[in-house]
Amino acid sequence: MNASLRIPVSDALRSALGELLDGLPPRQAAQAVDRLIASYRGRTPTDAPVLRDRADVAAYAAYRMPATFEAVRSALAGLRAAAPGFAPRTHADIGGGTGAASWAVAEAWAAAERQGGPPPRTTVLDWAEPALALGRELAQASGVPGLDGVEWRRTRIGPALRIDDTDLVTVSYVLNELTDEDRAAVVDEASRAAQAVVVVEPGTPDGYERIIEARDRLTAAGLRIAAPCPHSARCPIEPGTDWCHFSARVSRSSLHRQVKGGSLAYEDEKFSYVAAVRFPADPAPARVTRRPQIRKGQVLLDLCAEEGLRRETVAKREGARYRAARDVGWGDAWSPGAAGR
């Protein structure tokens, strides 16, 4: 086995980024990042790709790719927990840019390759040729099974988008770059073509609104929600009062710290997501929607369950359930009647 296959995909990603971006002047990267942050938090017309040239793409890769990878990896974990028998043979990454979601998919179903089966066959679709070019370089340098065979296809992301029927579609951190019409078209095309769709957006009120829009279109197209929601009914959060989001821990490389101007070895990426499927799935009976509050002799859990939002108090006298509640984390599944997650 290739030595690179024995290291985690996240480590392979950091290594590939470090090799390809070595020598990029931190000041130039930081300036590009400042502009990208403005685009990331705002709105960009569909005829003006956010990533314009290689300098932009290199800065973006250092700034966003590790965080996008971790967020999509967490979302895929929710899908896999609800549908453990699902193993996609084909995958389309809409608006995939440098391919962070494709790295997460390669990791999520790496067991298929270890068991002698083929890894998912991925096609990355994006309108920015510099992003596709760098994504190809990173993938080829990785040694990760499945990434060496990725097809990198330049295409406009909007109403004219057409994709082949596929097992899995990912749409990560791209809906904020689209008009309302284009967002609807992309989600509808994903719904038409895929057996499973995973959409990930920033964990902000606006990002959550885009996820809810996508969720509504997915269920209207006949898909059922696999994660994070315990049901496919209307989201119980009243619009404008709160938003559903989660957090993924991201390890920072030295280059990443330089580009982002931080000193910590990690950061927490906030994200919102929805995973929907056309086949049977077993969603979590309840999901922890806030960081658990551990108090003297009790744990307070904010939950989304089939009956709606509620708070559950687990007391120390409940023994195994109390110990399970102390171990459960924000975003984890929770079984109200069981002594574990």
Side-chain angles (χ1 to χ4, degrees):
M1 179 180 290
N2 188 314
S4 64
L5 305 188
R6 294 195 291 268
I7 66 173
V9 173
S10 56
D11 291 347
L13 174 58
R14 283 194 295 272
S15 176
L17 281 170
E19 290 177 10
L20 285 179
L21 304 179
D22 184 36
L24 179 71
R27 182 176 179 180
Q28 178 186 358
Q31 289 173 344
V33 163
D34 287 342
R35 188 185 65 77
L36 292 171
I37 288 174
S39 296
Y40 174 72
R41 292 175 178 169
R43 185 180 296 275
T44 302
T46 57
D47 58 355
V50 173
L51 304 178
R52 300 175 303 191
D53 53 32
R54 186 178 175 86
D56 276 358
V57 174
Y60 172 83
Y63 165 56
R64 285 300 310 164
M65 207 171 168
T68 301
F69 168 81
E70 294 293 349
V72 176
R73 176 161 72 168
S74 293
L76 292 175
L79 169 60
R80 293 173 66 211
F86 175 61
R89 294 166 298 175
T90 53
H91 163 227
D93 186 11
I94 297 178
T98 53
S102 301
W103 287 70
V105 167
E107 182 194 69
W109 284 280
E113 184 271 338
R114 290 195 296 269
Q115 295 167 6
R121 189 172 67 254
T122 289
T123 300
V124 178
L125 305 161
D126 201 274
W127 48 42
E129 182 59 38
L132 295 170
L134 186 62
R136 184 182 299 109
E137 290 182 46
L138 289 168
Q140 291 174 348
S142 71
V144 174
L147 292 182
D148 55 348
V150 172
E151 178 183 354
W152 303 84
R153 184 186 303 171
R154 187 179 186 186
T155 188
R156 187 179 180 88
I157 309 300
L161 176 68
R162 294 294 179 270
I163 59 177
D164 296 333
D165 289 350
T166 186
D167 293 330
L168 173 67
V169 165
T170 53
V171 187
S172 57
Y173 293 90
V174 69
L175 296 184
N176 65 312
E177 300 175 20
L178 305 178
T179 65
D180 293 345
E181 178 187 4
D182 288 356
R183 281 203 301 271
V186 165
V187 174
D188 288 348
E189 178 62 8
S191 301
R192 181 202 64 77
Q195 293 298 305
V197 179
V198 176
V199 184
V200 183
E201 281 289 296
T204 62
D206 286 348
Y208 162 73
E209 287 184 10
R210 290 189 291 273
I211 289 295
I212 289 300
E213 291 174 3
R215 185 185 188 277
D216 289 345
R217 299 194 78 87
L218 290 166
T219 55
L223 281 74
R224 67 190 73 187
I225 304 302
C229 319
H231 57 78
S232 298
R234 178 180 176 273
C235 177
I237 298 176
E238 290 299 324
T241 64
D242 202 353
W243 71 99
C244 179
H245 65 294
F246 305 98
S247 181
R249 179 61 53 92
V250 182
S251 296
R252 285 172 160 178
S253 66
S254 59
L255 176 63
H256 197 202
R257 292 196 295 272
Q258 283 182 333
V259 170
K260 300 197 73 171
S263 58
L264 295 177
Y266 66 88
E267 65 181 1
D268 291 322
E269 170 71 6
K270 305 298 193 303
F271 66 97
S272 296
Y273 81 97
V274 63
V277 298
R278 287 197 175 277
F279 47 80
D282 187 18
R287 179 92 47 192
V288 180
T289 58
R290 288 289 184 271
R291 204 175 301 279
Q293 300 180 44
I294 300 178
R295 298 181 179 176
K296 186 176 181 180
Q298 61 182 14
V299 180
L300 306 182
L301 300 177
D302 290 312
L303 302 170
C304 181
E306 189 166 0
E307 65 272 19
L309 301 174
R310 61 183 175 84
R311 170 168 286 185
E312 183 169 327
T313 301
V314 183
K316 189 173 184 179
R317 65 176 179 273
E318 297 181 66
R321 290 193 74 249
Y322 173 73
R323 292 190 293 273
R326 285 182 61 90
D327 290 340
V328 79
W330 179 14
D332 287 345
W334 175 254
S335 299
R341 282 180 273 180

